[in-house]
Amino acid sequence: MEGPFIRVEDTGEVVPLRPEVTTIGRGRGVDVRLADPSVSRLHAEFVRRGPYLYVVDLGLSRNGTRVNGRPIARRVLDDGDVVSFGAARCRVGGVPREDFAPEVELRRAAAPELTRREVDVLTSLCRPALSDEAFVAPATAREIADDLVVTEAAVKQHLLRLYQKFRIPEGINRRTRLANEVVALGLVRPTPVVPPQRTAGPGESPPQTAGRRAS
């Protein structure tokens, strides 16, 4: 078989991967359907970019994705790697071997030049993914428009250009794939969350601030 493929360990089924994006999960609309209940309906994606293959966990499952037993968010794959989606395991084959670290080459090639407004749109898009909670979904075009005080049509035009710049092909969950790419590249970083100050109750002293000693 030419090109990258996966072998599902439970069934022995060999599945060739699509030229760009192959979705995997338990739902009916995915490219590779795994029946294990620990697998999310839309669990992860295999992405091919030139000679490279990487897997992206979409953050929609509590059980996550692992490569050779280690939890990952996004990982370039080598021939023979074992990728686990919950309890389901698949072995990767047909990936060209390289003598250098493909992660470095992929990361350098994947970061396009961005305008200030595009950075603002990406920051707003990824804000839900940068909390301590599990990645549920990125912001919608309407939410981004409200955040940036612009029209929804303008946001959609920016998103179309960003899909092109990051080479995110058309298909389901396109905003999620863009957000995963941006976060993985470190172009948008989490902002520290400042916990709210607790007001003192009756008979209590005000809370001590950092660097202040009680007298």
Side-chain angles (χ1 to χ4, degrees):
M1 180 180 298
E2 294 183 2
F5 62 88
I6 58 170
R7 184 186 302 275
V8 182
E9 290 198 349
D10 284 347
T11 64
E13 180 184 10
V14 176
V15 183
L17 299 180
R18 292 179 177 273
E20 291 183 338
V21 176
T22 303
T23 55
I24 189 164
R26 187 167 41 86
R28 294 183 179 180
V30 298
D31 299 317
V32 181
R33 191 176 181 188
L34 301 174
D36 195 292
S38 66
V39 178
S40 175
R41 285 178 297 175
L42 180 60
H43 198 110
E45 291 177 332
F46 288 103
V47 181
R48 293 175 63 179
R49 181 167 295 165
Y52 308 121
L53 172 70
Y54 64 93
V55 63
V56 178
D57 179 77
L58 296 178
L60 303 173
S61 170
R62 295 181 179 179
N63 298 312
T65 300
R66 300 183 304 279
V67 175
N68 301 327
R70 300 184 62 179
I72 59 94
R74 178 175 181 265
R75 169 75 179 269
V76 175
L77 298 170
D78 292 323
D79 198 69
D81 281 344
V82 175
V83 185
S84 302
F85 309 98
R89 289 161 52 96
C90 301
R91 186 174 295 274
V92 177
V95 180
R97 295 188 178 277
E98 298 285 350
D99 295 331
F100 56 89
E103 296 89 343
V104 176
E105 298 299 320
L106 178 63
R107 186 172 294 269
R108 287 175 180 171
E113 293 185 6
L114 301 172
T115 67
R116 179 63 180 272
R117 177 53 76 182
E118 286 171 345
V119 172
D120 291 341
V121 170
L122 290 176
T123 301
S124 183
L125 172 75
C126 297
R127 187 166 287 120
L130 298 177
S131 67
D132 292 332
E133 302 297 327
F135 191 147
V136 177
T140 64
R142 167 50 55 192
E143 290 169 338
I144 297 171
D146 291 343
D147 185 27
L148 302 180
V149 195
V150 296
T151 66
E152 187 174 354
V155 170
K156 289 180 178 179
Q157 287 299 316
H158 283 300
L159 287 174
L160 286 175
R161 286 194 291 271
L162 288 166
Y163 293 143
Q164 294 172 352
K165 285 189 174 185
F166 285 90
R167 292 183 289 179
I168 306 296
E170 293 185 5
I172 60 174
N173 226 31
R174 204 177 187 189
R175 281 183 299 107
T176 301
R177 281 183 275 144
L178 175 61
N180 270 283
E181 186 84 353
V182 170
V183 173
L185 290 170
L187 299 179
V188 175
R189 299 186 180 279
T191 54
V193 178
V194 179
Q197 291 288 338
R198 187 179 69 87
T199 57
E204 294 182 343
S205 300
Q208 297 293 321
T209 57
R212 179 182 175 184
R213 295 183 180 178
S215 57

